[in-house]
Amino acid sequence: MTGPRGYHHGDLRRALLAAAVDAITDAGPAALSLRDLARRAGVSHAAPAHHFGDKAGLLTALAVEGFDLLAGALCEAGDLLDAGVAYVRFAVDHRAHFEVMFRPELYRRDDPEVTAARDRAGAALRAGVAALPRRETDPDQEADALAAWSIVHGFVTLWLAGALPPGTGPDPEAAARTVIRRLFD
Amino acid sequence: MTGPRGYHHGDLRRALLAAAVDAITDAGPAALSLRDLARRAGVSHAAPAHHFGDKAGLLTALAVEGFDLLAGALCEAGDLLDAGVAYVRFAVDHRAHFEVMFRPELYRRDDPEVTAARDRAGAALRAGVAALPRRETDPDQEADALAAWSIVHGFVTLWLAGALPPGTGPDPEAAARTVIRRLFD
DNA sequence: TGGCTATCTTGTCAATGACAAGTTAGGCTG
DNA sequence: CAGCCTAACTTGTCATTGACAAGATAGCCA
């Protein structure tokens, strides 16, 4: 789908996505400029439109990439604690993807590729919860999944926003572990 | 500080903030346009700059308003479960404020008014956790506060992003209650 | 009554997103 | 191998926007 063979540029589509990741990591998705990406890639101001249509198209492609990366990271995790930590690590390491993925007004959330990738990530998430040893007190797996997802998503969102107090420490994964343990103890 | 008395417009500052809330609720903070706000308020395109300096200034004012509203909502809550539900209700009812507050790249996060308002909200949050009956197994209040904040913040962020599965139901407060109970059971 | 100052307007500029039309180059067909 | 065909990219343009500068207006006060 990406077409890794090069025509004029080599692989402009990939270069633009990489440049977008850099730009978003620096200044957030709101400050993203297609013309700036074109400059970074050394092409004309209208070249990005050919590959992505418009800005929303580019961010849609980024979201697809992000959900696939997330699904991969979650699948590699062992138990639910690992999966939670992997979620946090993904968000920190791929901050640009993460920030776009959960801001649907920035891209075409109903795009078939996006929904497919989102479903893959969702399935990986639920697989982690299903692997949890059942507690006889409450067999509601849906609510368990929702609580687990909420706590890791909230933690890393606050972490990325710089909203957490300094006492949280410098390592997001360690802090996340502590928090997740409070949910399933 | 706001200057509720009117000169030419009446209270342009407040009118612009209200228009900004509407615009952000409709299309997100990224799509916000100062000129559009001016049109909605029936003033010239440069009038907003007088009151807020620039776009970041306007969003800074919105963030201050948001943290104060949140602090008020949390203070009125009884126990920690109430506070969590109040947090969710605040985010849903004041979506525009909430979306700006936790996106520090959009405003001047070091503005004195913002830091003061943020501290007030943080104090209200911790007060709710401190009121929780101590569990002898783990007396770490900091981690309790972090876990509680994470789970409600994550839940409502996912809710607002439309990322939750349909099975979650139509009422965010009820779903939040179920999720929060899983943390302190 | 005269000025003072906050409030708001008019005018302008560079940057941007989107679109239209043209150009280039790799590959395919005959 | 010649010619075309189409994807990839460029050039040009326009409306919109944020920011700034300079001017006009109106309430208030000495």
Side-chain angles (χ1 to χ4, degrees):
Chain A
M1 189 137 304
T2 304
R5 74 196 181 288
Y7 277 87
H8 303 141
H9 173 276
D11 193 351
L12 181 57
R13 180 187 161 93
R14 194 160 292 270
L16 289 171
L17 286 175
V21 167
D22 288 346
I24 295 173
T25 303
D26 286 348
L32 189 68
S33 149
L34 291 182
R35 292 171 104 108
D36 178 54
L37 298 186
R39 278 190 292 271
R40 293 188 194 215
V43 293
S44 81
H45 67 226
H50 176 71
H51 289 278
F52 301 105
D54 56 6
K55 202 183 208 174
L58 186 144
L59 294 176
T60 302
L62 257 192
V64 171
E65 211 173 71
F67 280 114
D68 276 337
L69 284 168
L70 176 59
L74 292 180
C75 283
E76 286 177 10
D79 61 353
L80 186 58
L81 181 61
D82 271 358
V85 174
Y87 192 98
V88 170
R89 180 166 38 233
F90 165 80
V92 172
D93 289 349
H94 301 90
R95 175 178 191 145
H97 289 94
F98 187 78
E99 292 199 359
V100 172
M101 288 158 63
F102 295 99
R103 217 158 295 175
E105 79 274 12
L106 294 179
Y107 63 93
R108 287 187 263 279
R109 63 171 304 164
D110 295 332
D111 179 280
E113 289 191 57
V114 170
T115 53
R118 184 167 25 220
D119 288 348
R120 282 192 291 276
L125 190 83
R126 280 151 195 261
V129 174
L132 194 72
R134 290 290 77 216
R135 301 181 295 177
E136 67 285 349
T137 56
D138 194 311
D140 188 346
Q141 250 190 37
E142 278 297 318
D144 277 347
L146 186 53
W149 190 14
S150 292
I151 205 167
V152 292
H153 188 85
F155 172 81
V156 78
T157 299
L158 291 170
W159 175 276
L160 291 176
L164 296 179
T168 311
D171 180 14
E173 297 181 31
R177 231 178 280 269
T178 305
V179 167
I180 299 169
R181 282 214 191 88
R182 268 193 174 47
L183 185 57
F184 299 105
D185 56 352
Chain B
M1 190 139 304
T2 304
R5 74 196 180 287
Y7 277 88
H8 303 139
H9 173 276
D11 193 352
L12 181 56
R13 180 187 162 93
R14 196 160 290 270
L16 289 172
L17 285 175
V21 168
D22 288 347
I24 294 173
T25 303
D26 286 348
L32 189 68
S33 150
L34 291 182
R35 291 171 105 107
D36 178 54
L37 298 186
R39 279 190 291 270
R40 293 189 193 214
V43 293
S44 80
H45 65 226
H50 175 73
H51 288 277
F52 301 104
D54 56 5
K55 201 184 207 172
L58 187 143
L59 294 176
T60 301
L62 257 192
V64 171
E65 211 173 72
F67 280 115
D68 276 338
L69 284 168
L70 176 59
L74 292 180
C75 283
E76 285 177 10
D79 61 353
L80 186 57
L81 182 60
D82 271 358
V85 174
Y87 193 98
V88 169
R89 179 168 37 233
F90 164 80
V92 172
D93 288 349
H94 301 91
R95 174 178 192 144
H97 289 94
F98 186 78
E99 292 199 359
V100 172
M101 289 158 62
F102 294 99
R103 217 158 295 175
E105 78 274 11
L106 293 179
Y107 64 92
R108 288 187 261 279
R109 63 171 302 164
D110 295 331
D111 180 279
E113 289 191 59
V114 170
T115 53
R118 181 164 31 218
D119 288 348
R120 282 192 290 274
L125 190 82
R126 280 152 195 261
V129 174
L132 193 71
R134 292 290 76 215
R135 300 183 296 177
E136 67 286 347
T137 56
D138 194 311
D140 188 348
Q141 249 188 37
E142 278 298 317
D144 278 347
L146 187 53
W149 190 13
S150 292
I151 205 165
V152 292
H153 187 85
F155 172 81
V156 78
T157 299
L158 291 170
W159 175 276
L160 290 177
L164 296 180
T168 311
D171 179 13
E173 296 181 31
R177 230 178 280 268
T178 305
V179 167
I180 299 169
R181 282 214 190 85
R182 269 193 173 45
L183 185 58
F184 299 104
D185 54 353

